[in-house]
Amino acid sequence: MLPAMAPTRDAVAGPRTGPPPAQTVAAPAVDETDPAGLLRLGLAFCESKALLSAVELGVFDALHETGSSDVDELVARLGLHPRAAGTFLDLLVRLGLLTRAAGRYANGPGAARHLVRGNGSPVRELLDRANRMHYAAWGGLADALRTGGRRPEADYSVMPRDPQRLRRFLNLMDALTTAIGPLLAEAVDWAAVRRVADVGGGRGHLLSYVLTAHPHLSGVVFDLPHNAGPFAEYVAARGLGDRMTFQPGDFFADPLPAADALIFGHVLHDWSPRRRAVLVRRAYDALADGGLLVVYEGLLGADAGEERLPRHPATREEQPDVSGDPVAALDMLLFGEGSSEYTERECRQLLGGAGFELLAVRPLGERDTLVVARKP
Ligand SMILES: C[S@@+](CC[C@H](N)C(=O)[O-])C[C@H]1O[C@@H](n2cnc3c(N)ncnc32)[C@H](O)[C@@H]1O
């Protein structure tokens, strides 16, 4: 699940959001006798931007509502200039996103499943964010590589001033944890836990899965005060108002909730290694002996012998471990606001260094790793 990285003020001020939108793909075959592969790679941004623009313009939403439309109908509905609209739509057909029959366009199966707003797929939210932030940031990649590209850590203080942005952010968080919630409910042994706190738990989406699966649990979401309203709406809608509470606070400054288990989900990677260590120490201090710390994160380079990318020998020590997803790692390193993805090994060290005893490290869904630790 990627980070906020645009060089614009908007993106710079925004917080991290979990795993990156981009997925590493196998290295394309570049045949020295045929430069087509190189050209395709070099110009891939055109097709990428066509998809992102179609999402931005609401092409897939419009076609979802109408079933099918001709170019004039789409021009009118989406407020497009007619000059290039037909060519643009035909490009989307060629990319396999739309179908066209008798001059009428419709969503292809992949678009219908993943690109229509509100259909529950995280892909739409990720592409939305990629368009607003990552695209512009990657446009400045060469500069970021020259300068090191570091930016300040996440700044969540922008959220209360921009309700639309907050809503978009919460939607994205929920989309990313929809797949994780049921898995996390299963993967952890909650039998000895009575009260669980999701620290940085947003409006409670993830925690609602855990509580629904385990009726003996009660829960508290600890998050910044601006999430109190969205939380209240959310738990009322899920019918969990009597089992889940919201504790507003700053996890760097305020006492963490008293609970038998604390969750940090997609939270630690928002911060620099130093601040991550602060959070883990605070969790250790907040838990009673035997208490659980549950971390899920898109950790890089699991220790299970994944192939490592070659490193430049001269800077070996400074290189991040990017064995998991180099696109995500670059994105996070250069544009991730001082936050950084980190490796499974670092996570083990982080928790072990604070005094935790590791109980389990295992994959959680397609992108995340679950780490469960206990305060001895
Ligand atoms: C990247 S989101 C992760 C949300 C959720 N745990 C998930 O897995 O999707 C980070 C969360 O931490 C919260 N947060 C950021 N800074 C915080 C702080 N200083 N104190 C408490 N919560 C904070 C944000 O409001 C946001 O809900």
Side-chain angles (χ1 to χ4, degrees):
M1 4 195 96
L2 290 230
M5 44 220 88
T8 61
R9 286 305 314 155
D10 181 53
V12 168
R16 280 268 302 118
T17 64
Q23 287 293 292
T24 303
V25 292
V30 176
D31 182 342
E32 61 189 357
T33 64
D34 173 11
L38 279 177
L39 283 173
R40 182 167 167 74
L41 182 59
L43 297 173
F45 67 91
C46 301
E47 296 180 348
S48 164
K49 191 57 177 164
L51 165 58
L52 298 179
S53 303
V55 169
E56 177 183 334
L57 292 165
V59 172
F60 307 110
D61 305 325
L63 290 174
H64 173 69
E65 281 163 23
T66 60
S68 73
S69 302
D70 66 18
V71 65
D72 294 335
E73 289 162 1
L74 282 168
V75 160
R77 196 177 175 104
L78 302 175
L80 304 180
H81 192 286
R83 183 158 177 262
T87 309
F88 175 60
L89 293 169
D90 288 341
L91 171 58
L92 300 180
V93 172
R94 207 184 70 186
L95 294 175
L97 300 166
L98 302 184
T99 60
R100 181 184 165 169
R104 297 190 71 78
Y105 298 91
N107 285 331
R113 169 73 187 86
H114 293 292
L115 299 178
V116 174
R117 182 178 296 288
N119 69 355
S121 168
V123 174
R124 165 64 188 248
E125 302 285 349
L126 290 169
L127 292 182
D128 239 354
R129 187 170 178 86
N131 193 34
R132 282 183 287 106
M133 298 185 170
H134 305 217
Y135 182 81
W138 278 71
L141 179 60
D143 279 344
L145 286 165
R146 280 189 200 103
T147 62
R150 278 222 177 271
R151 297 183 189 282
E153 288 172 318
D155 179 5
Y156 285 91
S157 66
V158 295
M159 293 293 178
R161 296 195 297 274
D162 188 344
Q164 266 205 333
R165 183 168 176 171
L166 174 60
R167 185 180 45 74
R168 282 200 309 259
F169 181 72
L170 290 171
N171 287 345
L172 177 59
M173 294 302 94
D174 289 2
L176 292 171
T177 47
T178 291
I180 294 176
L183 299 175
L184 187 76
E186 276 290 302
V188 175
D189 181 359
W190 300 101
V193 175
R194 288 288 166 274
R195 183 172 153 86
V196 54
D198 193 356
V199 182
R203 61 182 156 197
H205 185 65
L206 181 281
L207 192 57
S208 73
Y209 285 102
V210 177
L211 264 58
T212 303
H214 300 281
H216 73 282
L217 291 177
S218 67
V220 53
V221 167
F222 181 93
D223 208 297
L224 293 166
H226 64 251
N227 279 329
F231 171 87
E233 265 175 43
Y234 181 83
V235 292
R238 296 281 307 236
L240 286 167
D242 55 336
R243 294 177 58 208
M244 266 169 86
T245 55
F246 187 84
Q247 183 174 326
D250 173 352
F251 48 45
F252 289 112
D254 298 315
L256 299 183
D260 309 309
L262 296 179
I263 301 173
F264 279 137
H266 297 160
V267 163
L268 298 176
H269 70 168
D270 263 353
W271 310 102
S272 65
R274 187 184 57 79
R275 301 252 275 175
R276 279 202 279 275
V278 169
L279 287 179
V280 171
R281 269 200 309 277
R282 298 198 92 226
Y284 187 89
D285 293 343
L287 285 166
D289 291 352
L292 294 183
L293 179 63
V294 175
V295 175
Y296 62 84
E297 199 92 274
L299 295 179
L300 299 169
D303 290 339
E306 288 174 35
E307 203 177 306
R308 308 264 150 176
L309 286 191
R311 299 172 183 189
H312 192 290
T315 55
R316 192 178 182 87
E317 295 315 315
E318 297 163 21
Q319 295 290 321
D321 188 336
V322 292
S323 53
D325 182 341
V327 173
L330 253 190
D331 188 88
M332 199 52 165
L333 265 176
L334 296 176
F335 309 119
E337 303 167 348
S339 50
S340 61
E341 296 294 359
Y342 56 106
T343 63
E344 181 186 317
R345 194 183 314 114
E346 284 172 86
C347 187
R348 288 171 182 270
Q349 284 165 357
L350 183 64
L351 270 51
F356 282 104
E357 170 195 358
L358 280 170
L359 299 182
V361 181
R362 61 162 80 156
L364 188 73
E366 288 184 9
R367 298 159 170 265
D368 285 274
T369 300
L370 169 68
V371 182
V372 184
R374 180 169 49 206
K375 179 169 175 175

